[in-house]
Amino acid sequence: MGAARPDGARGRIDKRQAILDGAFTIFARDGYHTAGMDAIAAEAKVAKHTLYNHFGDKENLFREVVAALSDQALARNLAAVEQLREQGDLAAMLTETGCCLAECYCDERSSALRRLLHSEITTMPDLLDIVRDRASDRVNDALAARLARLALAGRLDLGGDPAIAAEQFGALLTGSLEARSRLGTRKIPQAELRAVAGQAAATFLRAFGTES
C-alpha cells in the first residue's frame, strides 16, 4: 500500500507554507514593488488564483511573509536565550547566548528581511509593529527575565530595569554585527561571530557583573 495521503487541512497548511516560502524568495530577490504575483506563483508551484484565495492581495501576502519570518526568528532566539542559567560560567554562557543570537541576526533570511523592512517601512509602518510584537520585543522580554534571575542569584547588578540591560546586551551585538556585515551584504565568519559575542559578553559583565 502507498503512503497515506495528507488530509485537506494538512494540504492547506503545506500549500500555505509553500506560498510563504516562494513569496519570500521573490520579495528578497526583486523587492516588494517589483515582485509579481505570477513570479511568486511560479516559485511556489501553485496557480496564481491560489495566492489570492489564501492571502487576498500582494500587500497582505507581504505582511504574512514578514509575520512568518518573525515567528521563525522568535523560536531560534528564544532557544538561544534559554542557555542562560543561574549556575555555570557566566561569561561563557553569555558568550554562547550572544553567539547564537548573532547567528540568528546574520542568517541570510533575517538579513533579507531587514533589507525589505528598510525599503518599505515608510509606506507600511505597521511592518515594524509586526516584527516587534511577534519577535524582537518577546525576545527582549525573555532575555530580561533571564538576566533578572541572575540578578536575584547575586551574579549581576542590573541597577534598575532588566529590560534596559537586555536591550543594551542586544545593542552590543547588533551594532557591531550591522557594521561588520555591511548592512547584511557580507557573510561574517563563525570565528568572527564568536569574537563579537565574547566582546559583548565581556563589556556587559564589566558594566553589570558582580564577580571578579
Side-chain angles (χ1 to χ4, degrees):
M1 294 177 63
R5 297 179 61 182
D7 60 24
R10 179 74 257 169
R12 286 192 296 273
I13 292 170
D14 290 345
K15 186 168 292 186
R16 177 183 174 85
Q17 189 60 52
I19 293 170
L20 290 170
D21 290 341
F24 173 71
T25 297
I26 301 303
F27 286 136
R29 187 190 71 192
D30 299 342
Y32 170 72
H33 290 287
T34 305
M37 295 294 264
D38 287 317
I40 291 171
E43 181 68 27
K45 297 180 174 57
V46 299
K48 185 177 177 180
H49 68 80
T50 303
L51 302 182
Y52 293 101
N53 289 341
H54 278 265
F55 296 99
D57 56 29
K58 187 172 82 167
E59 184 174 318
N60 189 61
L61 173 57
F62 185 60
R63 286 189 170 89
E64 290 291 333
V65 167
V66 170
L69 289 170
S70 298
D71 291 343
Q72 293 169 16
L74 173 65
R76 291 184 62 193
N77 281 283
L78 289 181
V81 170
E82 286 175 2
Q83 298 179 81
L84 275 178
R85 304 181 184 279
E86 289 93 331
Q87 302 298 320
D89 185 324
L90 186 52
M93 287 190 294
L94 274 171
T95 297
E96 192 60 36
T97 293
C99 190
C100 292
L101 291 172
E103 289 172 353
C104 296
Y105 186 82
C106 293
D107 175 82
E108 184 177 342
R109 292 169 73 86
S110 295
S111 296
L113 175 59
R114 287 196 299 279
R115 289 194 294 272
L116 286 167
L117 289 174
H118 291 158
S119 66
E120 303 304 328
I121 198 66
T122 56
T123 56
M124 288 185 272
D126 63 301
L127 293 175
L128 186 57
D129 293 330
I130 293 172
V131 174
R132 292 192 62 172
D133 291 345
R134 300 181 80 116
S136 56
D137 284 355
R138 294 172 67 182
V139 172
N140 199 75
D141 288 346
L143 179 56
R146 293 281 171 163
L147 295 178
R149 287 165 59 177
L150 285 162
L152 286 173
R155 308 198 67 188
L156 293 174
D157 180 4
L158 301 180
D161 188 349
I164 295 176
E167 287 179 358
Q168 291 172 339
F169 183 65
L172 288 169
L173 290 169
T174 59
S176 182
L177 293 171
E178 195 74 352
R180 289 168 181 259
S181 70
R182 297 170 189 165
L183 303 180
T185 61
R186 170 184 174 255
K187 183 175 177 60
I188 303 178
Q190 182 66 27
E192 190 174 345
L193 284 178
R194 183 162 291 278
V196 168
Q199 291 155 6
T203 301
F204 185 84
L205 288 174
R206 280 196 293 271
F208 298 109
T210 60
E211 302 167 1
S212 58

